[in-house]
Amino acid sequence: MTGPVLLVIAHGSRDPRHAATVQALVRRAGALRPGLRVETAFLDFNLPSVTGVLDRLATEGVREVVALPLLLTRAFHAKADIPAVLRQAPPGLRIRQAEVLGPSPLLIAAVERRLYEAGLTPGDKSTTGVVLASAGSTDPEAIAVIAETARELRRTGWCSVRPAFASASLPRTDEAVRALRADPGVRRVAVAPYVIAPGRLPDRIAAGAADADTLADVLGPSPELARLLLERYEEAVPVPQPVAVAGQGLRPLAARARVRASASFGAGIGSAKPSYSR
């Protein structure tokens, strides 16, 4: 094993399909990177808990962890819940919180994959309106990201794309479906759940799609999502400094396409955001 352990943190649900889907996604991501240790934990409802996994890793001698929120937007769970639970990590365990998954072109690709799997084709784009239905949030930043994601999906060629929400925000899925029906350029309406795993809110999205022509599946263990987990991990791992090679000047030890600021918990890993030590 090389590099910090990747700890994927999901919200959790009473619906058994949720944990099964999360585990399938994490396994797929792990299969893409042999040698990388990948663990899964849940904030609520399911086991193992985040604190339980961190305690076990520390007991096993692990010293560095990248904690990846399995979230599409940076709302309350990413800003408050996850940082709070990471602060409870055992002393000496160094943890870097990675960025949430969205926004990303890989998520747009995953949404389109699910729409095609539901029966649509690229040739249907110009006459199909899509409802991008997310779980919902009261966080303005999260709502803005969903709206921008809908615009990015529209730019790929769909006739119209409207965001919708299963809770906390408006419009609801059924309202967005009716609005697209009233659009003279839309011949068919598809609902694309912008959620990772099944559960209560995705079921609410499905109920709201009753009058749509097509209902896609949740993002689940799509190959695009699995790749995105590893991308966020790589962004969170510190970039090695260049080293001098005799006769060749400075050369980087490793290349990174992009590095995003991420929070650091514990000691020993620098960050553009505050670090916390116990």
Side-chain angles (χ1 to χ4, degrees):
M1 182 184 68
T2 59
V5 170
L6 171 57
L7 174 60
V8 179
I9 302 177
H11 182 271
S13 171
R14 293 186 178 89
D15 190 322
R17 297 173 298 168
H18 177 90
T21 300
V22 169
Q23 296 287 7
L25 171 60
V26 173
R27 284 194 301 270
R28 187 162 201 168
L32 294 176
R33 184 66 60 83
L36 173 64
R37 180 171 178 179
V38 185
E39 299 277 349
T40 309
F42 298 89
L43 286 174
D44 205 356
F45 301 116
N46 302 106
L47 293 174
S49 67
V50 178
T51 54
V53 172
L54 292 176
D55 288 346
R56 173 167 54 82
L57 291 175
T59 299
E60 294 175 3
V62 172
R63 289 296 173 260
E64 295 186 8
V65 174
V66 170
L68 172 59
L70 196 64
L71 302 168
L72 298 177
T73 60
R74 190 171 174 272
F76 185 79
H77 293 309
K79 294 177 179 178
D81 286 346
I82 291 178
V85 75
L86 292 179
R87 290 190 186 95
Q88 302 173 33
L93 192 61
R94 294 168 291 184
I95 305 173
R96 178 172 290 266
Q97 182 176 329
E99 289 288 350
V100 297
L101 300 181
S104 169
L106 287 171
L107 289 171
I108 300 295
V111 168
E112 291 202 296
R113 172 186 291 275
R114 294 305 188 221
L115 287 167
Y116 297 149
E117 290 173 348
L120 296 174
T121 70
D124 295 324
K125 279 186 163 186
S126 63
T127 56
T128 300
V130 177
V131 176
L132 187 71
S134 72
S137 174
T138 58
D139 189 300
E141 179 183 350
I143 298 302
V145 168
I146 296 299
E148 178 57 28
T149 301
R151 287 191 289 269
E152 288 297 322
L153 184 61
R154 168 67 180 83
R155 293 184 186 111
T156 67
W158 298 95
C159 179
S160 180
V161 179
R162 287 178 175 263
F165 307 92
S167 68
S169 308
L170 295 174
R172 295 289 185 258
T173 303
D174 58 336
E175 296 170 337
V177 169
R178 287 196 294 271
L180 286 175
R181 288 284 187 210
D183 188 327
V186 173
R187 296 182 186 174
R188 66 185 66 79
V189 176
V191 173
Y194 193 60
V195 293
I196 294 172
R200 178 175 57 88
L201 294 181
D203 284 348
R204 189 178 296 176
I205 290 172
D211 291 332
D213 301 296
T214 301
L215 172 62
D217 200 357
V218 298
L219 301 178
S222 64
E224 294 84 4
L225 214 57
R227 287 170 52 200
L228 185 53
L229 297 190
L230 297 179
E231 183 176 293
R232 292 292 182 257
Y233 170 83
E234 291 167 355
E235 292 166 355
V237 174
V239 179
Q241 296 298 312
V243 296
V245 178
Q248 298 181 25
L250 292 176
R251 296 177 61 188
L253 287 175
R256 290 287 188 272
R258 179 166 54 96
V259 177
R260 309 172 90 179
S262 58
S264 176
F265 301 82
I269 301 181
S271 172
K273 295 183 180 179
S275 61
Y276 303 87
S277 301
R278 292 189 60 202

